[in-house]
Amino acid sequence: PTGDSSVILQVQEEIIEMKDVFSVKLKRRRFAGQKKGGTLLGITIFKCLNKEENKLTDCAIHLNNLSEDHCHSWFRHLKEILNGFQNRPKSLKVFVNPSSHKREATHVYYEQVAPLFKLADIKTDVTVTEYEGHALSVLKECELQAFDGCFVFYYLLRIGFILNCLAFLFCNRVVCVGGDGSVSEVAHGLLLKAQIDAGKDTEYVLAPVRAPVPLGVIPAGTTNILAHTLYGIKHVVTATLHIVMGHIQAVDVCTFSTPSKLLRFGFSAMFGFGARTLALAEKHRWMPSNQRKDFAFMKTLADLKPEECELSFLPLQIPQEDSHEIGKITLLYLGSKDQWHEIQGHFLNVSIMAIPCLCSMAPRGLAPNTR
């Protein structure tokens, strides 16, 4: 106890579960400019708090005691408990795309993300990408076993043509700070490296192996559909705390291939109007993001034309009791063992999505019936 004993203290009792705690520090009083030493005041516990739906925040709880022995004893025991959480990261390989959304990604990382990693005693190795494909080239040469994870995580399990390839970890892994394009590049790199390390033929992958580490995602791009889908919200601190706490989410990933060659691993793809719009917007990155998207949309719309396609798919078997919920929605599912269906005709756009693709315009997702 500290303070004047004559003062009547209002006693409050609060229970803290250690699974919600991510750091503990000794609390000292220091003079201006003093970096070491100082008068010991107690210990501070940092915990992850569920502030509102899907949003996480960090908070500090200060425990005061002037006894050096008492504080050090508590500090050691609490650190032992925290070190016992095996799923939490100790080291991370971080990729930052400095060109993402108004060039804000670097600022977002060093101002909001890095302080939380440091507080949680997580070691980081940061690569600020300099060109398209930089992250892929680094991953091919990187010894990922030295890291607990990447900021973007994937597990590989083949399910028909959809792969449960990546577990999006919010802990010890590889981390990507950027938008959907940056995350997709790192995810592809992780999975491609896994195939190379396993001695697989990367020209055509029939049975992919799992990525060696999970991937964490920090939303800092123009579009952050993947992060929004993972966390239910586009919020940098929430994403960072999920990684710090070691939360894992399995995510479906597709392989996109020609009949004889693997093109890439990915979460979604579009053919037709949507694809041409995105490609045109990418060529005009020098424009402000909102103007770029509007320009690409209007220019593609002005030259709108259908494409002749042949689609092959396996239909989802809908239980009778669930049929009233489906209504007139047509569901395509690549995973059934039943007979393939084929459709030929002219299409303005074809989209393939392995994840719900949540965004502000589609709160339930562009493909809400995915999992």
Side-chain angles (χ1 to χ4, degrees):
T2 59
D4 190 344
S5 59
S6 63
V7 177
I8 300 176
L9 299 176
Q10 292 292 325
V11 178
Q12 287 186 319
E13 187 177 277
E14 181 180 350
I15 296 174
I16 302 169
E17 294 192 57
M18 287 303 295
K19 67 180 180 64
D20 298 327
V21 175
F22 65 88
S23 180
V24 58
K25 302 290 182 184
L26 291 170
K27 181 183 177 182
R28 297 181 181 275
R29 179 189 293 119
R30 290 172 178 160
F31 298 106
Q34 184 180 1
K35 295 183 178 180
K36 294 184 178 180
T39 305
L40 185 63
L41 302 177
I43 62 174
T44 301
I45 295 173
F46 297 90
K47 63 175 288 191
C48 177
L49 187 66
N50 198 337
K51 190 174 182 181
E52 53 190 73
E53 186 178 7
N54 296 326
K55 182 179 285 189
L56 302 180
T57 187
D58 60 297
C59 70
I61 299 169
H62 303 284
L63 305 177
N64 299 323
N65 197 294
L66 299 181
S67 168
E68 290 263 357
D69 292 339
H70 195 69
C71 290
H72 280 287
S73 177
W74 272 82
F75 177 75
R76 284 194 304 271
H77 283 299
L78 291 175
K79 288 290 286 185
E80 287 174 5
I81 294 172
L82 292 181
N83 291 334
F85 293 115
Q86 298 299 320
N87 63 322
R88 296 188 182 180
K90 303 294 186 300
S91 60
L92 291 169
K93 176 62 186 175
V94 181
F95 291 96
V96 181
N97 181 0
S99 300
S100 288
H101 190 51
K102 303 177 184 177
R103 305 187 180 277
E104 292 177 350
T106 306
H107 176 78
V108 166
Y109 175 73
Y110 286 107
E111 293 296 321
Q112 300 183 58
V113 180
L116 284 172
F117 285 165
K118 183 178 180 181
L119 190 61
D121 297 320
I122 297 173
K123 296 178 181 178
T124 56
D125 181 73
V126 182
T127 295
V128 178
T129 57
E130 299 174 2
Y131 52 87
E132 185 178 353
H134 188 183
L136 179 59
S137 62
V138 171
L139 283 169
K140 285 183 177 179
E141 304 297 328
C142 189
E143 190 60 49
L144 292 176
Q145 282 73 11
F147 301 98
D148 294 314
C150 287
F151 234 105
V152 186
F153 312 165
Y154 301 68
Y155 289 135
L156 274 170
L157 283 176
R158 189 155 189 254
I159 307 176
F161 291 155
I162 294 183
L163 309 173
N164 187 271
C165 285
L166 304 161
F168 280 84
L169 249 216
F170 321 147
C171 65
N172 289 11
R173 321 295 187 238
V174 173
V175 177
C176 180
V177 185
D180 290 328
S182 305
V183 175
S184 296
E185 180 184 329
V186 176
H188 172 68
L190 276 175
L191 289 168
L192 192 61
K193 178 175 173 57
Q195 312 317 306
I196 295 171
D197 292 346
K200 295 275 186 178
D201 179 9
T202 56
E203 288 297 303
Y204 194 67
V205 183
L206 283 175
V209 299
R210 292 172 181 255
V213 294
L215 172 62
V217 182
I218 302 293
T222 304
T223 60
N224 300 281
I225 287 176
L226 187 55
H228 198 152
T229 300
L230 278 172
Y231 311 121
I233 190 173
K234 178 197 165 186
H235 189 241
V236 171
V237 172
T238 294
T240 306
L241 287 173
H242 275 303
I243 293 167
V244 168
M245 301 301 291
H247 299 160
I248 301 175
Q249 174 65 55
V251 177
D252 284 331
V253 179
C254 296
T255 53
F256 297 98
S257 310
T258 68
S260 60
K261 182 179 176 62
L262 170 71
L263 299 177
R264 68 181 298 119
F265 295 96
F267 304 96
S268 62
M270 282 192 285
F271 176 76
F273 173 73
R276 287 197 294 269
T277 302
L278 290 174
L280 187 60
E282 188 66 23
K283 292 179 181 178
H284 292 77
R285 291 194 68 88
W286 53 270
M287 297 175 66
S289 59
N290 289 336
Q291 292 181 23
R292 183 173 75 242
K293 288 185 286 187
D294 290 344
F295 165 77
F297 179 84
M298 295 304 296
K299 188 171 178 59
T300 308
L301 190 63
D303 190 30
L304 185 61
K305 58 183 178 181
E307 301 280 357
E308 187 174 355
C309 302
E310 179 181 305
L311 301 180
S312 300
F313 65 92
L314 289 163
L316 173 66
Q317 298 301 312
I318 305 170
Q320 190 65 36
E321 60 271 18
D322 293 340
S323 60
H324 67 280
E325 297 180 5
I326 303 300
K328 296 182 180 179
I329 299 173
T330 301
L331 300 178
L332 309 185
Y333 176 66
L334 306 181
S336 170
K337 294 180 180 179
D338 296 328
Q339 186 177 0
W340 283 80
H341 288 219
E342 292 185 358
I343 300 176
Q344 282 186 307
H346 289 81
F347 295 84
L348 293 174
N349 188 78
V350 178
S351 297
I352 298 174
M353 299 177 185
I355 58 174
C357 293
L358 272 64
C359 60
S360 57
M361 292 185 291
R364 291 185 62 241
L366 299 172
N369 292 295
T370 58
R371 295 292 180 266

